[in-house]
Amino acid sequence: MAKPNDEYYPLEAISSWLMNLLYAGLVLTVVGAISTIFEMRLLNDMAAGNFETEAAMMEAADDNDQRELALTVLNMLWYAATGVLSLIWIYRSAHNARVRASRMAYTPAACVWWYFIPFATFWKPYGAMKEIWSETAAQAGESMDPHRALLGAWWFCWIVMNLVYNVSFRMALRADDIPSLLQSDNYMLFGSFMDIGATLLFVTMVRKLSELQGRRQEGPAPEARAMPGANW
C-alpha cells in the first residue's frame, strides 16, 4: 500500500536486511576472485603443458567450468535480491528526504529509474543520491561536507566496476585462445577488487544515511528552502 506523501518510512529493518545481503555479496565476490585465480592457474598449466594426459586436463577444465557456473548462478540470485532491495531503500530514503523538503530536483521514482537509462546512468543516480544526502544532512542539522568524499568514492568504484566487468565479459565471449582468456580473467580480478570497494562503501552509506534520517525524524522541521525543478 502506498503511503501518504508526508508519512515517514522507517529504514531500520530494510537497512539491516540490505547490509546483511551486502556482506553476503562481499563473501561471494571474494570467493569469485579466488576462483578466478584458480582458473588463471589452470590456464597457465594448460599453456605450459603441465598435464600428464589430455583426459586429466579436460577433467580439470570441466571442474573449473562447473565451479564457475555455480558461482555465476549464486551471483545472479544475489544481484537480483540485492538490486531490488537497494532500489527500495533508495526510493524510501528519497521519500523521507522529500517529506520535509520544500522541493527536490529528483522525485523518489526518478532516483530509481535513472539507473536504467543508458548514458544518463553514469551521472544521474549519483546526482540523486547526493541530493538525498544533502537534504537529509541539512534536516538533521549537519553539514554535507564530511559525506562528499564517501559518495564520490562509492560512485567512482561503482562506475569503474561495471565498466571493467563489461569489458571482461565481452573479452571472454570473443576469446579463442588461452592468452585472451587470461586477459579477460585479469580484468575480472580487477573488477572484483573494485566490487569489494564499492560494496564496503555502500554498506557505510546505508548505515550512515539511515542514522541521519533517524535523527532528522526525531528533530524539529527545518526552514523550507527553494530547490531546483524536478528531474522526473
Side-chain angles (χ1 to χ4, degrees):
M1 178 183 294
K3 290 200 172 191
N5 289 335
D6 61 348
E7 189 172 349
Y8 176 79
Y9 282 108
L11 294 181
E12 290 80 5
I14 190 172
S15 296
S16 178
W17 278 99
L18 180 54
M19 286 191 289
N20 287 334
L21 276 174
L22 291 169
Y23 285 130
L26 282 173
V27 174
L28 277 176
T29 302
V30 171
V31 172
I34 294 172
S35 180
T36 299
I37 293 173
F38 284 160
E39 181 173 87
M40 294 172 73
R41 288 181 178 177
L42 171 64
L43 291 170
N44 283 318
D45 285 341
M46 293 172 67
N50 292 337
F51 289 94
E52 294 183 359
T53 64
E54 183 175 353
M57 183 181 69
M58 295 304 296
E59 182 180 358
D62 185 59
D63 290 342
N64 177 80
D65 290 345
Q66 291 184 24
R67 184 185 68 245
E68 288 293 313
L69 177 60
L71 286 172
T72 298
V73 172
L74 286 174
N75 272 291
M76 288 176 65
L77 294 173
W78 177 85
Y79 273 113
T82 308
V84 170
L85 201 60
S86 296
L87 294 175
I88 293 173
W89 180 84
I90 290 170
Y91 180 94
R92 293 185 176 183
S93 299
H95 170 88
N96 289 345
R98 288 176 69 90
V99 167
R100 291 189 176 183
S102 59
R103 193 175 184 186
M104 289 179 65
Y106 294 87
T107 65
C111 292
V112 171
W113 56 253
W114 275 122
Y115 281 91
F116 302 96
I117 306 301
F119 302 110
T121 190
F122 286 105
W123 74 89
K124 283 292 189 179
Y126 172 74
M129 182 63 71
K130 185 178 178 181
E131 184 182 54
I132 294 170
W133 271 76
S134 178
E135 193 62 39
T136 300
Q139 293 169 11
E142 291 195 8
S143 170
M144 175 63 184
D145 292 340
H147 309 293
R148 295 184 191 278
L150 174 63
L151 287 175
W154 161 69
W155 194 246
F156 172 80
C157 290
W158 170 260
I159 291 296
V160 173
M161 175 199 75
N162 280 285
L163 290 175
V164 171
Y165 275 162
N166 186 269
V167 169
S168 175
F169 176 72
R170 292 177 182 274
M171 291 179 66
L173 288 179
R174 296 196 302 266
D176 55 4
D177 54 24
I178 290 177
S180 299
L181 289 171
L182 283 170
Q183 190 175 16
S184 171
D185 280 346
N186 278 320
Y187 276 96
M188 178 63 70
L189 200 57
F190 177 66
S192 296
F193 288 121
M194 299 305 295
D195 195 344
I196 291 170
T199 302
L200 287 172
L201 289 166
F202 192 54
V203 167
T204 303
M205 288 170 55
V206 171
R207 177 174 53 82
K208 288 190 173 183
L209 184 59
S210 298
E211 290 174 356
L212 272 178
Q213 291 209 342
R215 293 207 303 271
R216 188 275 295 165
Q217 174 67 6
E218 296 169 359
E223 293 184 13
R225 295 182 304 280
M227 299 294 292
N231 277 286
W232 305 105

